[in-house]
Amino acid sequence: MTENEKYLYDHFLISIKSGFEALEDIINDALEAVEDEGWESEISEEWIRETFEREYKKNEDESKTWQHPTDTEKLRVVFDTLCKEKIVALHNAGYTQSDAIYDVQDVWTDLEDEGIKPIGYCYYHGQDLERVIETGTLSIGFYGEKEKNDKEAILIGNKVAAALKEAGFTIDWNGSASKRIEIKDFNWQNVFISDDDVEEKWGYARVLQLMEE
């Protein structure tokens, strides 16, 4: 691979392994990236399709040998449980921390419009997803209902940490509002099935559904 091909491969391999996106969507995003960077003469559509289809199939084939529940499946159960406790728990919330907070606020407003009062929130964003796939450490952000209220934040952090521990995860957290909870030795295993499946299991609408139950 050339240097630019390697960059593209590494970046979109994360998208493949995340299990949140269809193959064709990933290919289209890669083609857009090549066009934006002006790499058309170096990186062909044929190379992108051949390389990404191979890696996508590899992830699908490996998924048939995974032991269940995977760490990713256990995390989904934890987040669903937290939602039932009125904690907004978002998967893959934007790409950065500011994106995640914006998404939390958006979902929070929708919940309040339905007469539901959350007590706090937790999330991981796209950069966290990249990190866990590369290093095995997943960071979970959290906070309480009110801004700049560390006491509330720590209460939510303790609830999130307890739920993760109960699910069998090893966590690193110093108990403060300023440090995110880290799940250690997390093996991210997920495979895309359909857009409907992603929305049902990981999407934001599930928060409203779970909190209404």
Side-chain angles (χ1 to χ4, degrees):
M1 292 185 194
T2 66
E3 182 178 344
N4 290 334
E5 284 175 338
K6 182 67 165 56
Y7 171 83
L8 202 70
Y9 173 85
D10 289 343
H11 180 77
F12 285 100
L13 185 61
I14 299 292
S15 299
I16 291 170
K17 289 187 174 182
S18 75
F20 290 142
E21 298 180 64
L23 174 59
E24 198 60 33
D25 290 337
I26 295 172
I27 288 174
N28 287 336
D29 287 345
L31 290 171
E32 284 186 18
V34 167
E35 183 178 354
D36 290 344
E37 296 293 339
W39 294 342
E40 294 95 332
S41 61
E42 178 186 347
I43 304 177
S44 67
E45 179 176 347
E46 180 182 8
W47 180 87
I48 290 173
R49 287 192 174 277
E50 180 181 314
T51 302
F52 289 7
E53 285 173 0
R54 181 182 67 245
E55 293 299 331
Y56 206 86
K57 185 177 186 305
K58 182 180 176 182
N59 193 53
E60 286 183 329
D61 290 344
E62 288 177 352
S63 72
K64 297 171 185 176
T65 68
W66 295 343
Q67 292 188 358
H68 298 277
T70 65
D71 286 349
T72 315
E73 289 167 339
K74 289 192 291 184
L75 179 68
R76 178 166 57 83
V77 173
V78 169
F79 271 35
D80 284 357
T81 300
L82 291 170
C83 286
K84 293 175 183 178
E85 296 178 4
K86 299 297 185 286
I87 296 173
V88 177
L90 299 186
H91 297 279
N92 195 27
Y95 185 67
T96 65
Q97 183 173 352
S98 59
D99 292 339
I101 300 303
Y102 178 85
D103 287 354
V104 166
Q105 292 171 341
D106 198 29
V107 174
W108 196 293
T109 299
D110 289 344
L111 288 166
E112 289 188 328
D113 287 345
E114 294 295 324
I116 300 170
K117 188 67 173 176
I119 63 172
Y121 63 85
C122 65
Y123 64 87
Y124 60 91
H125 49 62
Q127 290 177 337
D128 296 323
L129 187 57
E130 290 178 356
R131 185 182 177 207
V132 69
I133 291 172
E134 292 171 348
T135 70
T137 297
L138 179 62
S139 297
I140 305 293
F142 62 90
Y143 215 77
E145 176 186 355
K146 299 175 183 175
E147 292 184 15
K148 298 180 180 179
N149 187 321
D150 287 357
K151 186 176 180 179
E152 272 194 8
I154 291 169
L155 287 173
I156 298 301
N158 280 320
K159 287 179 179 292
V160 174
L164 291 169
K165 287 179 181 177
E166 187 175 346
F169 290 115
T170 300
I171 68 167
D172 180 19
W173 180 49
N174 65 6
S176 74
S178 60
K179 187 179 187 300
R180 295 200 294 166
I181 299 167
E182 290 188 344
I183 309 176
K184 298 296 186 180
D185 303 318
F186 192 109
N187 186 14
W188 185 274
Q189 293 175 315
N190 196 33
V191 64
F192 180 84
I193 297 175
S194 68
D195 288 329
D196 287 343
D197 179 75
V198 170
E199 182 57 35
E200 179 184 351
K201 292 181 177 179
W202 311 98
Y204 298 172
R206 63 173 243 295
V207 177
L208 180 60
Q209 180 181 352
L210 289 166
M211 286 193 179
E212 285 180 329
E213 291 179 357

